[in-house]
Amino acid sequence: MDTMPKWADIVLIPLINLLIAFFLSGLVIWAIGKDPFEAIRTMVAGAFGSTDGVGYTLYYTTNFIFTGLAVAVASRAALFNIGGEGQVMLGGLGLTLLLLTVDFPHWAIALPVAVITSAAFGAGWAFVPAYLAAKRGSHIVVTTIMFNFIAFSLLGYMLVSSWIKKPGGVPESLDFAETVHLPNFHDILAPLGIEFSKHAPANISFFIAVACCVLFFVVMWHTQLGTAIRQFGKSEGAAIYAGVSPVKITIIAMMISGGLAGLMAVNATMGEAERLILGFSEGAGFIGIAVALMGRNHPFGIFLAAVLFGFLYQGGSELSLWMGIPRELVIVIQALVILLTGALDNMVRMPVERLFLHFRKGAN
Amino acid sequence: MSVETQKGRQDTAALTAPAPAIELRGISKSFGPVQANKDIAIKVAKGTIHGIIGENGAGKSTLMSILYGFYKADKGEILINGDHTDIPDSQAAIAAGIGMVFQHFKLVENFTVLENVVLGAESGPMLRPSLSKARKLLTQLSDEYELSVDPDAKIEDLSVGHQQRVEILKALYRQADILILDEPTGVLTPAEADHLFRILEGLRAQGKTIILITHKLREIMEITDTVSVMRRGQMTATVKTAETNPEQLAELMVGRKVLLQVDKAPAKLGDPILEVENLSVVDGDGVERVKGINFNVRAGEILGIAGVSGNGQSELLEVLAGYGKGTGTIRMNGDTLDLTGTKSDAKTRRKQGIAHVPEDRHAEGLILDFEAWENTALGYIDDPAYNRGLLMDNAAIRKDTEEKMERFDVRPPNPRLAAKNFSGGNQQKIVLAREIERNPDLLLIGQPTRGVDIGAIEFIHKQIVALRDQGKAIILVSVELEEIFSLSDRIAVMFDGHIMGERNPADTDEKELGLLMAGMTTEGA
């Protein structure tokens, strides 16, 4: 018997976790002599108070949806893909090679090809650890971490010593052509008569991310492939009994995961920077783990968690800009949220469960 | 003299009937709306073996968990040796002299016997003195109670029977006077079970009190002094074992008359469905588990495969079901099956007309976290009836599940309930419904009634016989000789990867099969 109604598990507990995290963060801010209420006002205003802020928040949100979904697909198959970071980088590399070699007349033609290419590169990068795990039994956590380092070095080499490098001292690629500039929210909303900041980086990729959430849901719960992935994730023995091939499912789940991570490059590299920058992933591959954890590996939860982390990223940078709160402290706040919602989940869960049991008994 | 008399008069009651080792008064416990224990009263006399029987879900385990401090009773009192005792956790239970041997052992696999015994009961911060003290005690206990185990063997290298002895030793090391055993013979071979009973008798002779929880009537009759019957959270009767019989106990357990024997018409044999020639199976460690066996099964026949577990039966089932590799020839309806290549998987086998009720329904037959309807689709997600175009037709699966649940009397008949929330018998019915209703030519069925209550056993046996009477072939693997006898039309005995012989159940008895199971042929004897 389930001890708690579903809504408590999905909404109430993350909310309580979040409040505790904010409370602790408030204490930290208060301890360094700043006003915590002022800080939260600054964060909210910075993230949601202007179309500029919203544009940045949604840009980060888009990144985190991709990496969060990536982690979730693997988790549903009981695989821990910690290599999102590397898969994002490879997605960016593939995208850059594509956009620097092929002349696209219009972004609308470039976008589908770019989506396929970055997903393919991300998936390809995930394939190697997946193959090694499925066929040779190597530990997927270890191999995917290693592949992050390899990806970083590969990107470094490409951006320092190869033909895609931009002349000059910065490790960046050549700029993409003006024709493949993706419409940002300003471009999209202007025809509708809605004013939106010209400079905010949120772009059409956001809708691709939302579509991926929907697709994730449909595939995972309404197709044979998704069902097989979940069967394998919940019970390898039962999956084998059912005729699901562990090798196949491990490889497919990891490649979907890598592909989703690779898609982040469409947002960050093609949509925002319009060139490949070393370290463009900004740790989003790792944030994806927290997002998936908080979102309970469910696309709707992941969407909400991605918005939250988008808010923390954008609001956090405002905090250091306007209140003189050091950047490191912003990371502390983010870490507290991850700690409370992820690692210490049971701390809140158990007392809440007991509370529900208590009330149930009272009702009988 | 007069003083003694006076004292005697005061304590007459206490003298004639010494305080029971355990007395429970009015114990109640509910989980949400489910009342697991209702106003339970029981007295367990010192130095006796007291059986508690009841179907799965009757509340036996809850009651013992309260006694061992895992749960707190909502109401009621616990008296140990006549003293009111509060048992908030297992430490308190151990302090009160209670030891528990769980159905699923709580041992550290890669620790030695000695380390497992000492774990959690170390006498100081340093391990070595504890270990040498424990070693001495262990040797002493081993001699006293026929509990011999090598103290330096690793748990993972021990047989199940020996692992259970370690659990008993753990309890004795913690100076338990009261030993609770939860379904102790579920995993044991007949010989191991007999040995366990000798150990328990030895313990009783030393004045220990033993509570034996089981649903096997035979064990109750064989070893207990007193037996209490539980049904739906209540204690329905406590009787002296000598004054009762299995039929009466079964009726008390289930609440109605139960058929302990299976009624079946003589088999109408058809063509051979499955022919196995020279089949060998080598496991992942390179050990040959099945060694060149030959047999066949015909339509309308139940072939029972008897044997002590671990003699190749599981591997045989796995190869037949498609997820174990083997060498040799298997023909199904005349077609040779692929035993090693790309067509040797469970999905292909299902298409070839083989259905499979696996031995371990928790690890293979079901996904416990999944709802019943998702489990009904396990192995059959590519069924056209379950799909509409690219998408799965979940509504159709749920409807199909609801109908199956009704036909197989699964309770509660709710397809949205997670598999883990069904009792063992109802879980097994979900698996059986899924496999039998596929109308397979051959049904493989392993330990069909392991952990299943009596009422459900009757139903499951009927379903198996009904499938046979439709002219299907069935291979039944079971470690329960009784089950093999009552269901099989032909019995093959496996030992050490060989088939020791085939017998007609009418022409053999438990003794002969027991010898074959132990690897002895009867020709010389």
Side-chain angles (χ1 to χ4, degrees):
Chain A
M1 218 191 75
D2 295 324
T3 44
M4 281 192 308
K6 227 172 181 172
W7 64 267
D9 183 43
I10 295 171
V11 181
L12 186 65
I13 290 190
L15 210 64
I16 296 174
N17 281 323
L18 206 59
L19 286 177
I20 298 174
F22 279 144
F23 175 73
L24 291 178
S25 306
L27 284 185
V28 173
I29 291 171
W30 175 73
I32 61 164
K34 309 277 182 187
D35 177 3
F37 296 101
E38 177 69 24
I40 190 83
R41 261 195 300 278
T42 307
M43 280 182 83
V44 173
F48 298 115
S50 62
T51 60
D52 202 46
V54 171
Y56 271 96
T57 304
L58 288 183
Y59 165 73
Y60 290 124
T61 300
T62 308
N63 282 345
F64 299 148
I65 290 176
F66 283 127
T67 54
L69 289 176
V71 173
V73 171
S75 289
R76 286 277 170 192
L79 298 163
F80 192 12
N81 178 13
I82 207 164
E85 199 67 7
Q87 290 143 15
V88 169
M89 288 181 213
L90 261 287
L93 182 62
L95 187 78
T96 305
L97 292 174
L98 173 81
L99 294 180
L100 291 180
T101 46
V102 181
D103 276 331
F104 289 99
H106 193 269
W107 67 265
I109 302 166
L111 185 59
V113 187
V115 163
I116 293 167
T117 309
S118 51
F121 270 71
W125 200 246
F127 170 78
V128 186
Y131 179 85
L132 290 174
K135 286 279 196 187
R136 293 271 171 265
S138 63
H139 202 297
I140 204 128
V141 171
V142 177
T143 44
T144 48
I145 291 178
M146 297 306 222
F147 266 65
N148 286 341
F149 289 105
I150 300 173
F152 187 77
S153 307
L154 180 65
L155 217 64
Y157 168 79
M158 292 299 285
L159 293 176
V160 171
S161 319
S162 85
W163 63 271
I164 65 168
K165 181 189 161 37
K166 181 186 278 184
V170 278
E172 292 178 359
S173 78
L174 299 162
D175 290 333
F176 300 156
E178 196 52 42
T179 45
V180 299
H181 166 81
L182 288 182
N184 59 22
F185 270 45
H186 171 79
D187 304 331
I188 297 167
L189 293 175
L192 303 173
I194 303 168
E195 271 302 315
F196 202 90
S197 161
K198 253 184 195 171
H199 311 288
N203 60 74
I204 197 165
S205 314
F206 173 74
F207 299 100
I208 300 177
V210 173
C212 282
C213 287
V214 177
L215 209 62
F216 182 106
F217 178 78
V218 172
V219 169
M220 204 50 89
W221 281 278
H222 293 273
T223 68
Q224 292 182 32
L225 173 66
T227 306
I229 288 177
R230 288 183 300 117
Q231 287 174 348
F232 178 73
K234 278 288 179 194
S235 167
E236 189 174 348
I240 295 171
Y241 158 79
V244 171
S245 155
V247 172
K248 240 189 251 171
I249 285 295
T250 301
I251 290 177
I252 292 174
M254 278 302 286
M255 285 182 71
I256 297 177
S257 175
L260 281 165
L263 280 181
M264 190 194 119
V266 175
N267 184 44
T269 302
M270 189 176 178
E272 199 252 345
E274 306 193 354
R275 63 189 187 282
L276 186 65
I277 302 168
L278 191 64
F280 74 97
S281 55
E282 293 182 297
F286 295 120
I287 297 291
I289 298 167
V291 169
L293 208 63
M294 196 172 170
R296 301 270 183 276
N297 292 325
H298 190 285
F300 185 64
I302 286 169
F303 178 82
L304 293 182
V307 171
L308 171 72
F309 277 90
F311 156 73
L312 286 177
Y313 254 57
Q314 170 55 16
S317 58
E318 294 284 310
L319 217 50
S320 51
L321 195 63
W322 298 110
M323 285 187 65
I325 291 176
R327 279 197 73 85
E328 286 70 20
L329 203 67
V330 176
I331 296 174
V332 168
I333 295 172
Q334 288 162 2
L336 277 170
V337 172
I338 295 175
L339 190 71
L340 263 298
T341 57
L344 296 181
D345 189 49
N346 272 339
M347 193 177 76
V348 169
R349 179 175 298 272
M350 269 144 67
V352 172
E353 271 181 358
R354 227 170 288 149
L355 213 65
F356 266 96
L357 272 179
H358 187 74
F359 280 121
R360 282 245 180 122
K361 215 174 283 163
N364 280 294
Chain B
M1 186 72 178
S2 69
V3 178
E4 269 179 343
T5 325
Q6 201 181 2
K7 194 164 180 269
R9 216 173 276 138
Q10 276 172 357
D11 287 346
T12 309
L15 278 181
T16 46
I22 295 176
E23 181 175 359
L24 302 178
R25 289 181 190 162
I27 296 283
S28 291
K29 171 81 188 168
S30 56
F31 300 98
V34 181
Q35 181 110 39
N37 284 162
K38 211 165 50 230
D39 198 21
I40 299 229
I42 184 178
K43 284 181 191 171
V44 178
K46 256 182 213 162
T48 64
I49 299 182
H50 192 119
I52 296 182
I53 55 167
E55 296 195 281
N56 285 328
K60 299 169 296 196
S61 297
T62 306
L63 187 64
M64 291 307 120
S65 297
I66 288 170
L67 194 50
Y68 200 61
F70 280 175
Y71 296 138
K72 196 166 165 38
D74 302 335
K75 271 204 312 245
E77 303 169 81
I78 301 172
L79 283 81
I80 308 284
N81 297 322
D83 300 326
H84 281 268
T85 312
D86 201 24
I87 304 179
D89 55 32
S90 54
Q91 289 298 325
I94 291 167
I98 301 173
M100 180 113 172
V101 176
F102 292 92
Q103 191 175 1
H104 301 283
F105 306 146
K106 313 248 183 248
L107 296 169
V108 184
E109 291 264 305
N110 53 357
F111 274 22
T112 65
V113 170
L114 203 56
E115 287 165 339
N116 267 287
V117 167
V118 172
L119 187 67
E122 301 86 350
S123 45
M126 299 305 286
L127 202 52
R128 204 168 280 277
S130 299
L131 286 178
S132 55
K133 193 184 121 201
R135 186 184 296 276
K136 234 183 272 164
L137 209 69
L138 221 56
T139 335
Q140 193 189 327
L141 289 170
S142 302
D143 296 343
E144 230 171 300
Y145 302 109
E146 275 190 85
L147 272 166
S148 54
V149 267
D150 173 9
D152 298 312
K154 281 194 179 160
I155 297 299
E156 57 198 3
D157 300 330
L158 293 180
S159 73
V160 182
H162 278 83
Q163 293 186 13
Q164 191 172 53
R165 287 184 209 170
V166 178
E167 283 286 9
I168 296 174
L169 282 170
K170 258 169 69 178
L172 294 177
Y173 181 75
R174 286 159 178 74
Q175 293 172 337
D177 280 321
I178 302 160
L179 208 58
I180 305 169
L181 294 104
D182 188 7
E183 300 282 357
T185 59
V187 289
L188 300 184
T189 66
E192 283 175 323
D194 284 344
H195 190 116
L196 173 69
F197 290 164
R198 280 209 302 283
I199 293 170
L200 295 185
E201 278 161 2
L203 288 166
R204 174 174 57 187
Q206 299 282 332
K208 307 268 185 203
T209 308
I210 292 158
I211 297 181
L212 181 70
I213 302 167
T214 181
H215 62 266
K216 292 185 185 165
L217 296 170
R218 201 174 59 90
E219 291 170 4
I220 291 287
M221 298 309 295
E222 195 175 322
I223 189 160
T224 62
D225 301 301
T226 318
V227 52
S228 297
V229 184
M230 285 190 78
R231 176 153 57 94
R232 294 195 191 156
Q234 281 172 304
M235 199 63 92
T236 51
T238 296
V239 288
K240 290 246 176 295
T241 309
E243 295 163 7
T244 184
N245 58 55
E247 285 73 22
Q248 190 197 359
L249 288 177
E251 201 182 323
L252 283 169
M253 267 166 82
V254 185
R256 61 180 165 85
K257 285 227 178 294
V258 182
L259 231 55
L260 291 177
Q261 283 297 315
V262 184
D263 262 343
K264 66 183 205 301
K268 289 191 204 68
L269 295 184
D271 296 330
I273 296 286
L274 184 84
E275 295 157 278
V276 175
E277 280 170 26
N278 200 22
L279 177 71
S280 294
V281 179
V282 176
D283 72 7
D285 299 328
V287 180
E288 195 175 25
R289 293 292 183 180
V290 177
K291 300 171 178 169
I293 63 172
N294 299 284
F295 67 91
N296 63 57
V297 195
R298 299 167 68 170
E301 174 186 46
I302 299 176
L303 172 69
I305 297 185
V308 176
S309 71
N311 276 287
Q313 307 98 308
S314 305
E315 289 78 5
L316 171 64
L317 276 186
E318 280 172 15
V319 172
L320 291 174
Y323 54 98
K325 310 280 180 212
T327 55
T329 313
I330 301 179
R331 276 190 301 275
M332 175 77 192
N333 286 323
D335 300 327
T336 306
L337 300 181
D338 183 0
L339 299 187
T340 46
T342 49
K343 292 229 174 297
S344 67
D345 65 90
K347 206 170 235 174
T348 313
R349 291 295 153 81
R350 284 195 179 88
K351 293 203 168 64
Q352 289 161 330
I354 300 178
H356 179 203
V357 176
E359 292 182 287
D360 187 341
R361 66 174 165 272
H362 288 174
E364 294 186 345
L366 292 167
I367 297 175
L368 294 176
D369 286 341
F370 274 18
E371 291 170 8
W373 68 274
E374 292 178 287
N375 276 298
T376 294
L378 186 66
Y380 300 100
I381 51 174
D382 55 350
D383 181 345
Y386 288 171
N387 286 274
R388 232 179 3 196
L390 284 174
L391 299 184
M392 294 196 73
D393 190 349
N394 291 346
I397 304 175
R398 283 196 274 268
K399 188 160 174 295
D400 187 40
T401 307
E402 212 169 327
E403 290 164 6
K404 283 190 165 77
M405 290 176 115
E406 191 156 319
R407 283 194 291 271
F408 275 73
D409 190 29
V410 177
R411 277 173 281 180
N414 176 7
R416 300 304 302 261
L417 199 63
K420 63 181 170 200
N421 294 329
F422 289 91
S423 72
N426 284 307
Q427 288 176 346
Q428 189 71 323
K429 283 184 193 171
I430 293 174
V431 179
L432 267 173
R434 178 181 73 208
E435 301 301 319
I436 285 184
E437 297 228 328
R438 289 283 150 181
N439 209 14
D441 291 336
L442 171 69
L443 177 69
L444 309 170
I445 180 159
Q447 320 296 352
T449 54
R450 176 181 281 170
V452 167
D453 42 71
I454 288 198
I457 290 177
E458 193 186 358
F459 181 87
I460 289 169
H461 282 173
K462 268 189 193 155
Q463 295 299 322
I464 296 172
V465 172
L467 190 71
R468 172 197 88 149
D469 292 342
Q470 287 169 36
K472 309 297 183 183
I474 293 164
I475 295 181
L476 164 77
V477 169
S478 177
V479 293
E480 307 274 354
L481 264 185
E482 253 175 277
E483 183 165 69
I484 293 274
F485 260 108
S486 61
L487 284 179
S488 310
D489 299 308
R490 195 151 53 92
I491 301 172
V493 182
M494 278 192 81
F495 171 76
D496 191 29
H498 296 287
I499 288 189
M500 298 303 291
E502 283 186 17
R503 295 287 184 273
N504 187 323
D507 308 333
T508 186
D509 52 24
E510 292 212 9
K511 198 174 153 223
E512 188 191 17
L513 291 189
L515 285 175
L516 289 171
M517 283 164 70
M520 283 174 271
T521 45
T522 41
E523 281 143 32

